[in-house]
Each structure stands twice: as structure tokens, then as C-alpha cells.
């Protein structure tokens, strides 16, 4: 995703997260990820998100948590880099949280390859995305057909994601 595309999609998604439905979904995502992170051990947590204003991993128990953004001038993320070429050493991260990244990136396979590269053996990966078969996804599709301006995303179902992860072991 180009920087301008990222900014546009990030802005649109950020606006949607401020709507009642978007805020409710964001709160549900935060609760869900925090429950999962309670069972994670290690030192380093990496959050990657399409919206660089969000930090859904606040209060996690891992010692060093940081967020990356592909934005050149991130608003809240600690650093910026291309998600398809992470500027991190191999086997250096214990937990990675992908918050709506695969839906918006230009090459989701490459993002997953990079995540696999930086994750330690037996590290944890959490992927947060919109189920393409959910009522919410149907609502976005109908809004798009009606010409309403909102963020555009790729639909990545759980079976497809599972296949990608299997290929990466």
C-alpha cells in the first residue's frame, strides 16, 4: 500500500471507529486481544495497525510493547516502516498483533512472511480482521455499491488465512 493510500484508508477507518458501531467493535477487539495476551509470555510485543492512532494492546503484561505504522509521520505509533519489509532482526519478537493489516496491505503474503521472520520460534500471532461473511462485511459491501465513501478492504476469510499460515508453517 502506498503512503497516500495508507493515509486515506487510515483516516477513513479512524472515522468509522468513532461511530457508535465502530467504537463498539473496537472495544470488543480490545477486550478480546487483552484476554488472549494474558496467556502470552515473553519480552517483546509488536502491534501493527492500519490506523496509527490506535493502541489496542495497552496494559499488556509483556515488558516491551511497541507499535509500527507504515505512515511516514505516525501520530501514535513509536516507529514507521514498510509492513512488507520490517526493519527488525530475525527471531526478535515474542508476540505480533496484526490489527486490520492484512485487509488493507498490498501484499498480505509478504506481510505474513515478514511476521514469520521476526517472530521467535513458537511465538504468537494474532490477526484481527473483519469476517468477510459477517453482517458487517455485507453492510460495507452494500454501502460501497450505493456509492457511499468508506474504507476499502480486501476480504480474507478464515480458511484462506489458515491456508496462508499453513504454507508458512
Amino acid at each position: 500500500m502506498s503512503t497516500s493510500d495508507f493515509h486515506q484508508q487510515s483516516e477513513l477507518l479512524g472515522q468509522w471507529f468513532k461511530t457508535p458501531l465502530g467504537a463498539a467493535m473496537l472495544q470488543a477487539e480490545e477486550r478480546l486481544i487483552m484476554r488472549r495476551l494474558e496467556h502470552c509470555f515473553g519480552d517483546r510485543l509488536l502491534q501493527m495497525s492500519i490506523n496509527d492512532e490506535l493502541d489496542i494492546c495497552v496494559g499488556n503484561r509483556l515488558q516491551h510493547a511497541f507499535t509500527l505504522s507504515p505512515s511516514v509521520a505516525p501520530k501514535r505509533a513509536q516507529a514507521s516502516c514498510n509492513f512488507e519489509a520490517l526493519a527488525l532482526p530475525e527471531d526478535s519478537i515474542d508476540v505480533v498483533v496484526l490489527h486490520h493489516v492484512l485487509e488493507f496491505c498490498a501484499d498480505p503474503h509478504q506481510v505474513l512472511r515478514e511476521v514469520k521472520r521476526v517472530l521467535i520460534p513458537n511465538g504468537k500471532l494474532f490477526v484481527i480482521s473483519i469476517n468477510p461473511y459477517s453482517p458487517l462485511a455485507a453492510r460495507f459491501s452494500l454501502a460501497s455499491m450505493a456509492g457511499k465513501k468508506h474504507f476499502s478492504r480486501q476480504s480474507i476469510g478464515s480458511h484462506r488465512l489458515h491456508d496462508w499460515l499453513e504454507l508458512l508453517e
Side-chain angles (χ1 to χ4, degrees):
M1 171 180 295
S2 73
T3 303
S4 62
D5 289 342
F6 170 81
H7 286 300
Q8 180 184 12
Q9 295 305 314
S10 177
E11 182 67 30
L12 290 170
L13 187 62
Q15 290 171 6
W16 184 78
F17 277 134
K18 292 176 184 170
T19 67
L21 181 60
M25 187 174 105
L26 185 58
Q27 287 177 342
E29 290 172 347
E30 288 173 343
R31 284 192 306 272
L32 178 67
I33 198 64
M34 290 312 294
R35 280 198 311 260
R36 297 297 185 262
L37 290 176
E38 287 176 3
H39 306 288
C40 293
F41 300 95
D43 290 325
R44 290 174 214 90
L45 178 141
L46 167 60
Q47 174 188 312
M48 297 163 56
S49 180
I50 180 67
N51 188 308
D52 63 358
E53 293 183 40
L54 302 177
D55 188 357
I56 64 165
C57 300
V58 172
N60 72 79
R61 57 192 244 170
L62 279 80
Q63 200 168 22
H64 304 287
F66 63 102
T67 57
L68 286 182
S69 166
S71 174
V72 174
K75 295 174 184 160
R76 190 163 180 184
Q78 282 86 13
S80 69
C81 76
N82 182 343
F83 287 169
E84 283 115 4
L86 295 174
L88 296 168
E90 289 185 23
D91 302 329
S92 60
I93 305 294
D94 300 288
V95 178
V96 175
V97 176
L98 297 179
H99 185 250
H100 298 286
V101 169
L102 298 179
E103 299 163 281
F104 295 97
C105 64
D107 189 353
H109 295 101
Q110 182 58 30
V111 171
L112 289 173
R113 281 191 289 276
E114 281 296 288
V115 167
K116 180 184 186 299
R117 183 184 66 77
V118 301
L119 266 176
I120 64 167
N122 298 316
K124 302 287 184 200
L125 168 63
F126 296 98
V127 178
I128 300 170
S129 65
I130 296 170
N131 180 347
Y133 306 109
S134 69
L136 184 60
R139 179 180 177 181
F140 292 144
S141 295
L142 290 172
S144 178
M145 287 189 284
K148 293 186 180 177
K149 186 177 179 181
H150 67 84
F151 53 90
S152 61
R153 60 180 183 71
Q154 303 174 57
S155 292
I156 300 173
S158 61
H159 294 298
R160 189 165 148 199
L161 180 60
H162 186 277
D163 287 345
W164 290 352
L165 295 173
E166 284 287 317
L167 287 172
L168 293 173
E169 299 174 355

